[in-house]
Amino acid sequence: MNMDQLKRQAAARALEEVRDGMQLGLGTGSTAKHFVELLGERVRAGLKVIGVPTSEATRLDAMRCGVPLTTLDEIDHLDITVDGADEIDPELNLIKGGGGALLREKIVAAASDRMIVIADDTKWVPTLGRFPLPVEVIPFGLGATRRAIEKAFAECGVSGQMAVRKDKDGHVFVTDGGHWIVDAQLEKIADPARLATALSAIPGVVEHGLFIGLASSAVLAGGEGIRVIERRKPKGDWE
């Protein structure tokens, strides 16, 4: 079974949690794309749901698949958000943002009663950090922001090279919100919650890819089948 099939298996298992009348957060990325496609099949078969997309790419996918959409300006909460992750640790803390949608993804996840993370089992790690940590920043004053980020890293016992993300054409990657992303190669983040707090306090940082205490469960697909991990602490304990 290839990686794409594993991702689709995880998406299908998460879809089992969806009920008629739910308001859903629709994640971004290759695994979340499978969920949107499978959800569209259920909608065409009569399922009544409405979704809030976390990126322009997901909005277009959902429209193509016939999933009705709304915004967080029009509804006051979401029942479930289903999204992928770049890394998942045993406490269900995440690194997200490899696709550049971390700001909208975090807004939508925080507005949800539950967040289900879907992934192939290669995303499961003992400690976050192998995947580069994305930090979404304001272009203005980038030098000062980078120095503040380096200071936060030092205070939290991590270090690594930082680089402004570029697109395939070599131009600076610009997020849906009009911001830039600095990717940090940290290798190992011993205290993700502490680092998340330190980064959030920097004025030039819009958001970062550490999702602490947001995921309620993770659905991991691997060669031996599907594994579902529930978070030990209720949503909100870190907030």
Side-chain angles (χ1 to χ4, degrees), residues 73-142:
D73 295 319
E74 296 168 341
I75 59 174
D76 61 359
H77 87 289
L78 296 167
D79 297 294
I80 299 174
T81 283
V82 178
D83 205 347
D86 299 301
E87 284 190 339
I88 310 165
D89 78 6
E91 298 298 326
L92 298 195
N93 296 317
L94 317 171
I95 287 182
K96 288 179 53 58
L102 60 153
L103 175 59
R104 294 188 185 186
E105 288 173 335
K106 193 172 285 190
I107 291 170
V108 168
S112 305
D113 294 338
R114 296 170 61 201
M115 180 188 186
I116 301 175
V117 183
I118 53 176
D120 64 87
D121 61 5
T122 65
K123 303 299 192 296
W124 182 260
V125 296
T127 306
L128 298 180
R130 181 182 62 191
F131 191 90
L133 175 65
V135 183
E136 189 162 345
V137 298
I138 300 287
F140 175 82
L142 179 60

Side-chain angles (χ1 to χ4, degrees), residues 11-35:
R13 173 62 182 82
L15 188 58
E16 295 176 12
E17 302 297 316
V18 174
R19 302 288 180 267
D20 215 47
M22 280 189 168
Q23 300 176 155
L24 305 173
L26 306 177
T28 294
S30 58
T31 312
K33 184 181 178 75
H34 283 298
F35 178 79

Side-chain angles (χ1 to χ4, degrees), residues 39-54:
L39 180 65
E41 292 177 6
R42 290 279 306 278
V43 167
R44 293 192 293 277
L47 179 71
K48 304 296 184 188
V49 295
I50 195 164
V52 172
T54 55

